[in-house]
Amino acid sequence: GDSVTQMEGPVTLSEEAFLTINCTYTATGYPSLFWYVQYPGEGLQLLLKATKADDKGSNKGFEATYRKETTSFHLEKGSVQVSDSAVYFCALSGSSNTGKLIFGQGTTLQVKP
Amino acid sequence: SAVISQKPSRDICQRGTSLTIQCQVDSQVTMMFWYRQQPGQSLTLIATANQGSEATYESGFVIDKFPISRPNLTFSTLTVSNMSPEDSSIYLCSARTGGSAEKLFFGSGTQLSVL
């Protein structure tokens, strides 16, 4: 079945460092891909998405490109801030578009000043 | 957007008891879902809460263990029945608005610990 694999955390970076969180997926058909973020004490929020191959999702300085050839959707940010400290989840939805999501295990990011 | 209120935010329960989690959305939504996040693991879909009919459960989840109600378009409950320590998890309510998967919102979750 469909699945999502994320790099294990926690990831600890200094402020202004470059961030990459790896995400790879296995799916039939053509899924949509998402990154969600969960700040401490808050619910999951959609960070960015991509719905087809070579699409680049971006938001708040974060980017991820839908790479069908490598089945990847890595999250990147050029310069992280302390306020980016959160748990990041990669997810996919199947081509049936039912609203169901399959999540990766989440990666905790800690940014130190 | 939709704001989802979930309660309780956390609870500590005794083995063999049941807990009902409530999820209230501030606007009418087309679909509501319940997820579970076990410690150190990803979110797993438990079921889709259907308005006015029985919920649709994913493989590995059954109605007797996780009864779900959805009496209207803005409210749903999930009950965790006959709890055991293995049920200790975060339970998340989510709601979908519109016709695309990206319009999916989440509550802040219920942290359940079973002793």
Side-chain angles (χ1 to χ4, degrees), chain A residues 12-85:
Chain A
T12 302
L13 296 174
S14 298
E15 206 164 23
E16 298 184 2
F18 184 85
L19 168 71
T20 299
I21 301 178
N22 290 337
C23 172
T24 58
Y25 67 91
T26 302
T28 56
Y30 302 94
S32 295
L33 301 174
F34 307 85
W35 276 100
Y36 279 82
V37 58
Q38 186 173 34
Y39 298 104
E42 299 183 18
L44 283 172
Q45 302 173 28
L46 178 64
L47 181 60
L48 54 84
K49 65 176 176 67
T51 57
K52 62 182 186 294
D54 300 325
D55 266 3
K56 177 185 284 188
S58 61
N59 186 26
K60 299 181 181 180
F62 291 90
E63 293 183 341
T65 301
Y66 189 142
R67 299 288 189 198
K68 188 168 174 60
E69 64 275 14
T70 55
T71 62
S72 65
F73 193 55
H74 304 321
L75 182 68
E76 297 182 335
K77 186 173 185 181
S79 176
V80 293
Q81 306 299 313
V82 173
S83 57
D84 294 326
S85 298

Side-chain angles (χ1 to χ4, degrees), chain B residues 61-115:
Chain B
F61 297 96
V62 296
I63 188 171
D64 289 346
K65 177 66 176 177
F66 297 102
I68 288 171
S69 76
R70 189 179 172 196
N72 56 51
L73 292 175
T74 63
F75 185 78
S76 178
T77 66
L78 168 74
T79 299
V80 186
S81 303
N82 188 25
M83 287 183 285
S84 66
E86 292 71 36
D87 294 321
S88 298
S89 291
I90 297 173
Y91 293 86
L92 289 151
C93 171
S94 71
R96 176 186 177 189
T97 63
S100 57
E102 64 264 35
K103 295 182 182 176
L104 192 64
F105 301 93
F106 286 84
S108 54
T110 296
Q111 173 107 48
L112 171 62
S113 298
V114 184
L115 304 178

Side-chain angles (χ1 to χ4, degrees), chain A residues 32 34 36 38 41-46 49 51 87 89 93 97-106, chain B residues 31 33 35 37 40-45 48 56 58 92 96 99-108:
Chain A
S32 295
F34 307 85
Y36 279 82
Q38 186 173 34
E42 299 183 18
L44 283 172
Q45 302 173 28
L46 178 64
K49 65 176 176 67
T51 57
V87 183
F89 293 91
S93 69
N97 196 26
T98 60
K100 297 181 192 178
L101 293 178
I102 296 170
F103 286 87
Q105 69 268 38
Chain B
M31 301 179 79
F33 306 91
Y35 286 84
Q37 185 179 14
Q41 299 188 27
S42 66
L43 283 78
T44 302
L45 181 64
T48 302
T56 305
E58 298 298 307
L92 289 151
R96 176 186 177 189
S100 57
E102 64 264 35
K103 295 182 182 176
L104 192 64
F105 301 93
F106 286 84
S108 54

